Amino acid sequence: MKEVGVGIIGFGTVGAGVAEGLLKGADLITRRCGVTVALKGVADLDIETDRGVEVPKTLLSTDALALVARPDVAVVVELIGGTGIAYTVVKTALEAGKSVVTANKKLLAEKGEELFALARAKGVDLYFGASVGGGIPIIRSLRDGLVANDIRAIYGILNGTCNYILTRMAREGSGFDAVLADAQRLGYAEANPSLDIDGFDTAHKICILASLAHGVSVPLDQVPVTGIRGLDPVDVHYADELGYVIKLLAVCKAHGNRLEVRVNPTLVPKDHPLASVNDVFNAVLVDGSMTGDTLYYGKGAGRAATASAVISDIVSVARHVASGTPREAEPLPPLAQSGKALLAPEDCTSRFYIRLMVREACGMVGRFATILGDHGVSIFAASQHEATEAQREAGYVPVVILTQPAREGDILAALTEITAQGIVRSMPLHMCML
């Protein structure tokens, strides 16, 4: 039986899980897949810290590029993260004609076009099933299971940290800062949580899904991103009263030959499947032309779930290597083949939730309706809410407006005009509605 050697670069949480899975599951993988996947080495700058897994010391090294260059390593697994040494490792492996498996969403979002082109030129695989959704098989589903579908829309809850914070705020009425501190204490949030709570981790992931679904390069710097930092619990409460929950959604929608890609807090109806995705779980809803809506749900992070997805990719690639037919299943179509261009952020259309802190409530809704109407925005519903003691002392009362579908640019223009009149405390808050 053909043996395929694997080298793991990165011995952190996921790397340790993959090493353990390959060592403990070697016999099972061989029986099921008809190929022997042999772990040849693990490289990391720190090989002394106990990772809670038993890996023979003879397999451990601090020289990543030396492991990549070894002739008995046919598949390189990059689990370092980021775009520094990880980029060097992946590019070096591909240039050497070796297939690569990675879970590095940032690398693929920022360097994917170059690296996939290199993989195609060298006739090798670059697989990335664990880069989005951890153990959720969304990458394989888009690449293989839904291949006959024109993907009309993708809606994703793709960051467990944000979803945990929003779930706690909705359940308990707690403030953002208090829940974030709890998430950090429990290990759900990093000491520096900005990548998660400011939406960029989610943005990396939707860039990958959009590229996979539509064959178009999605530059991160062209994706409008709004995170949940400082979300006011009052808006979580108002959303609940209106029959919604707030989720940080990644959205990719096709509009003819243009593609809308964005990340922002969104009001989701309580009867929508994504509304019941809570705590650290992730979910992706895909609207296909033949299947309609399909939902993918599960743990979006963690050692075991992510390692499972990585090992699945390793086995797929090992089969190609063993049979001498790499790229049997093209993981990503040549980018830009679809002809789709990104929709400008101001042209994105949605229903909107607007909260204004108003000096005087009497007659204000009508005044706001006139200004919104002048900018082509129609009101669906409006309500004045009871002011808190602090708001009353400051002389403001909250007014909430729900709109009919409108352009983001028109909403911003109307709110700018309202703010300029001096009748609201600051630029009104607005969020999309699903």
Side-chain angles (χ1 to χ4, degrees):
M1 190 173 292
K2 183 80 179 273
E3 178 182 279
V4 177
V6 175
I8 298 173
I9 314 298
F11 197 34
T13 299
V14 177
V18 173
E20 182 179 41
L22 290 178
L23 291 171
K24 288 186 175 181
D27 291 341
L28 176 64
I29 291 170
T30 299
R31 288 198 310 271
R32 286 184 171 176
C33 306
V35 59
T36 298
V37 179
L39 180 61
K40 297 297 183 179
V42 180
D44 195 283
L45 291 178
D46 175 12
I47 57 175
E48 300 299 329
T49 299
D50 182 10
R51 267 67 170 200
V53 300
E54 294 184 8
V55 177
K57 290 190 178 297
T58 55
L59 295 182
L60 300 177
S61 166
T62 58
D63 194 335
L65 294 180
L67 180 57
V68 170
R70 279 174 48 175
D72 60 343
V73 171
V75 180
V76 174
V77 182
E78 182 277 306
L79 298 171
I80 306 168
T83 55
I85 185 61
Y87 169 73
T88 302
V89 164
V90 172
K91 185 175 181 180
T92 300
L94 294 175
E95 287 177 337
K98 300 189 178 188
S99 291
V100 172
V101 172
T102 182
N104 192 337
K105 53 193 171 288
K106 181 176 174 64
L107 178 67
L108 294 177
E110 297 184 14
K111 303 286 187 180
E113 188 169 6
E114 172 194 348
L115 295 174
F116 282 111
L118 178 57
R120 280 190 289 271
K122 293 293 182 177
V124 295
D125 287 320
L126 172 54
Y127 270 46
F128 52 101
S131 62
V132 179
I136 303 172
I138 182 60
I139 297 294
R140 285 181 181 270
S141 296
L142 284 173
R143 189 187 69 208
D144 301 325
L146 300 174
V147 68
N149 286 258
D150 181 17
I151 304 301
R152 296 180 294 209
I154 300 172
Y155 301 96
I157 296 172
L158 298 173
N159 185 274
T161 298
C162 289
N163 206 42
Y164 173 82
I165 292 171
L166 292 173
T167 300
R168 286 274 308 276
M169 291 179 72
R171 282 178 182 162
E172 305 164 10
S174 303
F176 175 85
D177 291 337
V179 179
L180 173 59
D182 273 354
Q184 290 171 315
R185 179 177 56 81
L186 294 168
Y188 295 147
E190 301 289 344
N192 180 0
S194 58
L195 187 66
D196 293 321
I197 66 174
D198 291 328
F200 291 102
D201 173 79
T202 299
H204 287 135
K205 294 171 182 175
I206 196 61
C207 285
I208 293 170
L209 295 184
S211 296
L212 184 61
H214 295 281
V216 59
S217 179
V218 181
L220 183 66
D221 61 2
Q222 294 183 29
V223 176
V225 180
T226 304
I228 64 168
R229 184 188 293 270
L231 181 69
D232 196 320
V234 73
D235 294 302
V236 178
H237 175 67
Y238 293 159
D240 177 67
E241 288 185 338
L242 293 165
Y244 294 83
V245 294
I246 297 176
K247 298 292 185 183
L248 183 68
L249 280 196
V251 175
C252 172
K253 292 170 65 177
H255 301 272
N257 65 350
R258 294 194 295 175
L259 197 64
E260 172 186 351
V261 183
R262 56 181 169 83
V263 174
N264 48 259
T266 302
L267 274 71
V268 178
K270 288 182 180 180
D271 60 357
H272 191 280
L274 292 177
S276 59
V277 178
N278 291 318
D279 299 311
V280 296
F281 282 84
N282 285 193
V284 183
L285 188 147
V286 181
D287 176 15
S289 58
M290 299 178 70
T291 59
D293 288 346
T294 54
L295 182 67
Y296 307 84
Y297 169 86
K299 291 183 178 179
R303 172 181 286 190
T306 307
S308 173
V310 172
I311 292 172
S312 174
D313 278 352
I314 292 171
V315 171
S316 294
V317 173
R319 281 172 164 163
H320 300 168
V321 173
S323 64
T325 57
R327 287 202 300 129
E328 179 180 288
E330 181 68 73
L332 191 73
L335 300 181
Q337 72 171 15
S338 70
K340 286 186 172 70
L342 289 183
L343 192 70
E346 61 270 19
D347 289 329
C348 293
T349 300
S350 172
R351 293 175 60 215
F352 286 90
Y353 163 98
I354 300 170
R355 175 174 57 81
L356 311 97
M357 299 306 299
V358 186
R359 285 188 182 277
E360 298 176 10
C362 184
M364 284 298 139
V365 172
R367 190 169 174 182
F368 297 148
T370 299
I371 295 173
L372 287 164
D374 289 343
H375 290 273
V377 180
S378 297
I379 290 180
F380 171 74
S383 57
Q384 178 184 329
H385 290 259
E386 185 177 355
T388 65
E389 183 177 347
Q391 290 168 346
R392 286 194 299 271
E393 289 178 355
Y396 293 92
V397 296
V399 171
V400 170
I401 293 174
L402 307 183
T403 77
Q404 299 284 9
R407 287 178 66 253
E408 173 89 15
D410 294 335
I411 291 287
L412 288 172
L415 297 185
T416 298
E417 181 177 336
I418 289 171
T419 304
Q421 296 194 6
I423 54 179
V424 296
R425 186 171 63 187
S426 58
M427 183 70 171
L429 172 83
H430 72 288
M431 287 187 282
C432 292
M433 301 176 67
L434 192 59

